[in-house]
Amino acid sequence: MKVIIAEKPDQGVTLASIFSTKKKQGYLEILPNELFPKGAYMTWAVGHLLQLAPPERYRPEWKQWKLETLPIIPDRFQYEVEKAKAKQFHIVQELLRKPEVTEIIHAGDAGREGELIVRNIIQRSGVKKPMKRLWISSLTPKAIEAGFRALLEEKATRPLYEEAYARACADWIVGMNASRVYSILLKQKGMNDVFSAGRVQTPTLALIVKREKEIEQFRPEPFWEVFATFAINGKQYEGKWVKDGESRVNEQQLTEKIALFCEQKQAEVLDVKTERKVFPPPLLFNLSSLQATANKWYQFSPQKTLDILQKLYQKGIVSYPRSDSTYVTKGEAETFPDILQKLSQLPAYKSFFPLSTTTILHNKRYVNEKKVTDHYAIIPTEQVVDPDKLSVDERHIYDLVVKRLLAAHYDDAIFDYTTVTTLVDGRATFLSKGKQQIQEGWRKVIALREEDDVLLPPLTEKEQGQVVDVRVKESKTQPPKRYTEGQLITLMKTAGKFLENEELEKVLAKTEGLGTEATRAGIITMLKERKYIEVKKNQVYATDKAKVLIEAIGDKILASPEMTAKWEQRLNEIGEGKASASSFMEQVKKLAAKIVTDALETSKTWDFTGLDTASIQRTTSKATLGKPVGTCKYCGGTVLDKGEFYGCANYAKTKCSFTISKTILGKKISQTNVKKLLQHGKTDIIKGFKKGEKTFDAALVWDDSQKKITFSFSKN
């Protein structure tokens, strides 16, 4: 008999749905069938059942935050069972130890974290039995059955486990030492707060603070430009004065003289150049590019996009969400005609058919076996659904994924870009630029939000006419723009290099950068929770707390995007079996010691002039911060007091996004009521909620079907 271990309860239920089952406490019994003649047990983790032990588990003196105990470097890392999940761990352990169980099937998510979660449980259980790996990229019945028929050998994915384990330990060492040394030293400067720092979050924060400083230090300067309208053989168009490629003039008087000189003068077309540009359809989505697109179009945070995508994956209608590839295999491409035929029947997509091409099987822009690593690009599965039957947010994400696939089956978009050079009175040069769509191609499917075509009349060299109007326009130089959350994802992917268009598309298809597809959204969420950034109207602002930390770190290695990107590359090599995890960890230990030394050295010359350091104080007392208040409604983890809100303890590990605000509609929610909500699904009647001008009394109720908190109004 076999034990199958999934990563989460709902995933386990979905994987078992193709079999006849009996429900048990913490697992399902799969009845005998063709694939499992003796039956099987389907059980699950609840995200991470185990966590890396805190410092005091290694040495009691490491519990207190003191400089003399740093750096904290355990000889050997230990995992311990999370108290809130001990029951499920013991259920899994008992199943693994059953004498009739002869084989284990690892069915965690097909990725690094899934590999780590399930292997940790098996190791902690002390069971050594043969293991196979279920590796699938979608949860359709067809994909599940195919996966169980083609299980991988245990050794095939072992390097991924070693990578995930090295990543977790490295992040623990760097985060623990960096956070403690900077928190202690900054407290000595009067800032009584926890300054969390880490291998990925700190270089990311440094990029945000750098942009904030550029904006703060920017001083707008006025400039003037001259525009002229020309009439040539009955054709009229506008041009901008240029000299040596520059149109901006810093002196208003000079532009006025230029304008005066040009009035009613003769104009001649000096040069007409037309360049044709061909734009191929965009690549299929990986997670980063989808998060950036969803943020640009709908202002969705990266975490929200990932959460929605996970729901769609769980429904079996899109492929694995945390993919870093923009390519598919030949096998997947062979399923596209069937998927497209089903899409063509839906009202939302009928107008895009017939497609320009019926197959992309031999198109290497999309189909490339060598560029598919763990997972292929994010695509709709053969389990096609009418988007109108999804929630609004789910429809937006599903629609983006579907339209990328449709666009891949369309022709290139083609534009002509025309530049006309006009000479006024043989002396003043003006440039006019036009753009004209020649072939719509894939833009029929994905209508980009940009300026309309600027059409110039047909002009030929040496045509003559005159200036009919001249005007001077005054403007001011603009500061750099703040990043959006979507641009932050891109910035992390490119390790701090801000790129555009085709160059960006190439980089987004690679894997190195700050963090991974699975962790970038969580890093941004973490920066918000720790009061390092604020997001207003989709613009990211660095707080004074962030500026203080980055000022304190300075140009040291902890804030270096390049160093973190190199680490990410080395971790990828461990996952590919090309590098040693032990030698990597030795480098990590040296880095931890250097981080502590650097902080002690630079603290002697810290200067935070101009920053509001007095306001950087802990908002929650030490007595309540981190206190458990109940069980998470999403994943079964422990809900903790996190300062400004209550949140799931599994956030850092599984990215569980469950939170409860401490203030709802102007009313503070007591810890007692939060405990009642989590335990019984309902609070007492709370008086004084405010919505606009109205005040009302209501109880808070957990709606399990919608997975959200709602109001229950009293009869009075």
Side-chain angles (χ1 to χ4, degrees):
M1 205 164 180
K2 299 174 182 180
V3 169
I4 307 163
I5 308 175
E7 190 171 321
K8 296 179 278 291
D10 51 1
Q11 187 185 45
V13 171
T14 303
L15 291 172
S17 64
I18 65 171
F19 308 108
S20 295
T21 60
K22 284 184 181 177
K23 190 175 182 182
K24 304 287 185 177
Q25 182 68 41
Y27 68 99
L28 297 171
E29 183 181 340
I30 296 174
L31 302 180
N33 57 76
E34 182 203 344
L35 283 171
F36 303 111
K38 295 181 181 179
Y41 298 118
M42 171 66 75
T43 188
W44 43 76
V46 187
H48 286 265
L49 295 185
L50 302 167
Q51 60 186 2
L52 282 168
E56 58 268 25
R57 293 285 186 276
Y58 303 99
R59 295 185 194 174
E61 62 268 27
W62 283 355
K63 185 171 184 177
Q64 291 185 306
W65 289 39
K66 292 183 177 179
L67 290 174
E68 52 266 32
T69 62
L70 302 178
I72 294 172
I73 301 174
D75 296 326
R76 184 179 177 83
F77 278 94
Q78 300 170 20
Y79 275 91
E80 60 182 24
V81 179
E82 283 198 38
K83 288 181 181 179
K85 300 180 182 180
K87 183 179 178 182
Q88 184 60 24
F89 172 77
H90 291 304
I91 289 170
V92 178
Q93 186 179 49
E94 285 174 19
L95 290 172
L96 290 171
R97 289 179 175 177
K98 282 180 179 283
E100 68 267 28
V101 171
T102 56
E103 186 176 89
I104 303 164
I105 296 177
H106 181 326
D109 269 358
R112 303 175 186 89
E113 282 304 299
E115 200 66 35
L116 180 69
I117 288 168
V118 175
R119 283 188 187 252
N120 273 348
I121 294 167
I122 296 167
Q123 288 182 6
R124 179 75 177 187
S125 297
V127 174
K128 291 187 177 179
K129 294 181 180 181
M131 188 179 97
K132 294 281 179 70
R133 182 64 159 103
L134 176 70
W135 192 274
I136 55 178
S137 289
S138 74
L139 290 176
T140 63
K142 184 178 175 182
I144 292 168
E145 183 180 345
F148 277 121
R149 290 186 184 278
L151 295 169
L152 302 178
E153 293 297 322
E154 175 274 333
K155 63 181 180 182
T157 59
R158 194 185 304 156
L160 268 185
Y161 162 73
E162 291 170 356
E163 176 193 346
Y165 179 68
R167 186 186 298 277
C169 295
D171 287 347
W172 191 98
I173 288 178
V174 173
M176 194 65 67
N177 286 286
S179 299
R180 287 198 176 196
V181 72
Y182 282 103
S183 295
I184 294 167
L185 291 171
L186 287 167
K187 186 177 181 180
Q188 293 174 0
K189 300 286 183 180
M191 287 165 273
N192 185 27
D193 202 350
V194 175
F195 285 83
S196 170
R199 182 181 64 87
V200 179
Q201 64 162 306
T202 303
T204 303
L205 185 62
L207 293 170
I208 299 167
V209 170
K210 181 184 176 187
R211 175 53 57 93
E212 194 75 33
K213 282 186 176 179
E214 288 170 351
I215 294 169
E216 288 174 356
Q217 293 168 3
F218 181 83
R219 295 292 176 266
E221 294 181 358
F223 66 90
W224 291 263
E225 292 176 302
V226 181
F227 293 86
T229 303
F230 307 106
I232 293 180
N233 296 331
K235 296 169 286 192
Q236 204 168 82
Y237 64 99
E238 188 175 74
K240 184 192 293 185
W241 177 86
V242 293
K243 185 176 182 181
D244 300 327
E246 181 56 63
S247 66
R248 295 180 177 185
V249 179
N250 296 328
E251 297 176 31
Q252 184 178 3
Q253 285 183 336
L254 179 57
T255 55
E256 288 173 350
K257 286 179 181 178
I258 295 167
L260 190 63
F261 167 81
C262 293
E263 282 181 3
Q264 303 300 313
K265 291 284 176 47
Q266 184 185 38
E268 180 181 350
V269 177
L270 190 66
D271 186 40
V272 179
K273 287 182 180 176
T274 299
E275 181 185 4
R276 179 157 291 185
K277 289 189 179 181
V278 177
F279 298 94
L283 297 173
L284 298 173
F285 281 124
N286 60 17
L287 179 57
S288 289
S289 57
L290 180 55
Q291 286 170 320
T293 302
N295 180 261
K296 184 176 180 179
W297 283 65
Y298 304 116
Q299 286 73 57
F300 286 179
S301 72
Q303 187 63 52
K304 181 174 180 176
T305 296
L306 178 54
D307 291 344
I308 295 168
L309 203 55
Q310 183 69 34
K311 288 179 185 175
L312 298 178
Y313 170 65
Q314 206 63 50
K315 290 179 179 182
I317 61 177
V318 300
S319 59
Y320 185 70
R322 293 172 179 82
S323 174
D324 61 7
S325 179
T326 57
Y327 299 89
V328 295
T329 63
K330 185 179 177 183
E332 291 310 314
E334 286 171 344
T335 69
F336 288 169
D338 177 48
I339 294 170
L340 294 168
Q341 195 280 325
K342 291 174 182 175
L343 288 168
S344 71
Q345 305 303 308
L346 299 175
Y349 306 116
K350 262 185 181 179
S351 63
F352 302 124
F353 289 85
L355 305 171
S356 302
T357 181
T358 55
T359 179
I360 55 172
L361 190 59
H362 303 294
N363 186 338
K364 289 187 178 179
R365 182 170 172 80
Y366 303 104
V367 185
N368 192 328
E369 307 266 350
K370 294 178 182 177
K371 294 191 176 182
V372 176
T373 50
D374 297 345
H375 297 281
Y376 47 80
I378 299 168
I379 55 173
T381 67
E382 70 271 15
Q383 205 166 298
V384 169
V385 67
D386 186 342
D388 289 336
K389 293 181 179 178
L390 300 171
S391 70
V392 174
D393 288 349
E394 288 175 339
R395 188 188 315 147
H396 285 325
I397 297 300
Y398 186 67
D399 189 62
L400 287 175
V401 173
V402 166
K403 284 183 175 176
R404 274 289 168 112
L405 181 62
L406 295 178
H409 290 78
Y410 264 75
D411 292 330
D412 298 336
I414 302 174
F415 289 83
D416 276 352
Y417 292 84
T418 302
T419 303
V420 175
T421 305
T422 306
L423 197 61
V424 174
D425 200 31
R427 292 173 64 187
T429 304
F430 286 77
L431 281 187
S432 307
K433 294 193 175 185
K435 169 188 160 190
Q436 185 177 7
Q437 179 176 282
I438 303 303
Q439 178 174 289
E440 185 179 30
W442 57 268
R443 287 166 61 102
K444 178 181 178 181
V445 182
I446 303 173
L448 300 182
R449 297 173 180 178
E450 57 182 46
E451 292 179 4
D452 295 332
D453 290 359
V454 179
L455 297 177
L456 290 174
L459 296 162
T460 57
E461 291 179 18
K462 297 187 178 178
E463 276 194 280
Q464 294 186 350
Q466 73 173 60
V467 177
V468 294
D469 185 46
V470 190
R471 62 187 177 90
V472 173
K473 181 182 177 183
E474 181 181 356
S475 304
K476 285 186 178 180
T477 54
Q478 297 297 310
K481 291 183 179 179
R482 284 189 167 81
Y483 298 124
T484 65
E485 288 189 82
Q487 288 169 334
L488 269 189
I489 287 286
T490 302
L491 205 62
M492 293 173 77
K493 183 83 175 180
T494 59
K497 300 183 184 80
F498 201 73
L499 309 173
E500 294 287 353
N501 305 328
E502 292 114 17
E503 190 181 14
L504 173 60
E505 193 173 66
K506 288 175 188 174
V507 175
L508 286 176
K510 297 180 181 178
T511 55
E512 60 266 17
L514 303 180
T516 67
E517 301 294 318
T519 61
R520 290 185 187 112
I523 293 294
I524 294 172
T525 302
M526 191 188 299
L527 293 175
K528 292 183 203 172
E529 290 180 347
R530 293 174 178 174
K531 306 300 178 188
Y532 285 133
I533 63 172
E534 294 175 347
V535 180
K536 303 172 187 175
K537 296 182 179 179
N538 202 31
Q539 303 292 304
V540 179
Y541 293 75
T543 64
D544 276 350
K545 181 179 177 181
K547 294 171 194 172
V548 163
L549 179 63
I550 299 305
E551 182 68 30
I553 296 170
D555 59 359
K556 298 302 179 184
I557 201 165
L558 181 59
S560 165
E562 292 78 16
M563 179 62 189
T564 303
K566 285 178 184 175
W567 272 34
E568 211 60 61
Q569 193 172 356
R570 182 55 56 86
L571 285 163
N572 286 333
E573 289 168 0
I574 293 169
E576 293 167 1
K578 297 177 182 176
S580 162
S582 58
S583 61
F584 171 75
M585 287 307 299
E586 287 306 311
Q587 293 299 315
V588 171
K589 291 173 184 177
K590 290 178 183 176
L591 176 68
K594 179 168 174 49
I595 287 170
V596 172
T597 304
D598 284 348
L600 290 168
E601 186 62 34
T602 57
S603 66
K604 298 170 185 175
T605 56
W606 283 348
D607 181 7
F608 303 117
T609 303
L611 296 174
D612 183 10
T613 56
S615 66
I616 303 173
Q617 303 295 332
R618 211 178 286 183
T619 55
T620 302
S621 71
K622 213 169 184 178
T624 61
L625 191 65
K627 186 176 179 181
V629 293
T631 303
C632 177
K633 293 291 187 179
Y634 284 179
C635 73
T638 303
V639 176
L640 305 175
D641 185 334
K642 291 196 171 186
E644 296 293 310
F645 63 99
Y646 300 99
C648 182
N650 289 333
Y651 171 75
K653 300 165 194 167
T654 66
K655 309 301 174 242
C656 178
S657 57
F658 180 80
T659 58
I660 301 174
S661 175
K662 287 191 173 181
T663 304
I664 297 176
L665 294 185
K667 188 68 182 175
K668 288 188 177 180
I669 311 302
S670 70
Q671 196 173 98
T672 301
N673 269 321
V674 171
K675 287 180 178 179
K676 287 182 178 180
L677 180 65
L678 294 174
Q679 187 174 354
H680 306 296
K682 188 174 182 178
T683 68
D684 296 331
I685 293 291
I686 300 170
K687 297 183 178 182
F689 290 111
K690 291 181 180 178
K691 191 170 185 181
E693 298 295 318
K694 294 182 180 179
T695 302
F696 63 91
D697 305 336
L700 298 177
V701 176
W702 175 254
D703 186 328
D704 208 45
S705 62
Q706 297 186 60
K707 299 293 182 188
K708 69 177 186 179
I709 296 170
T710 60
F711 291 106
S712 174
F713 297 93
S714 64
K715 291 180 181 178
N716 297 326

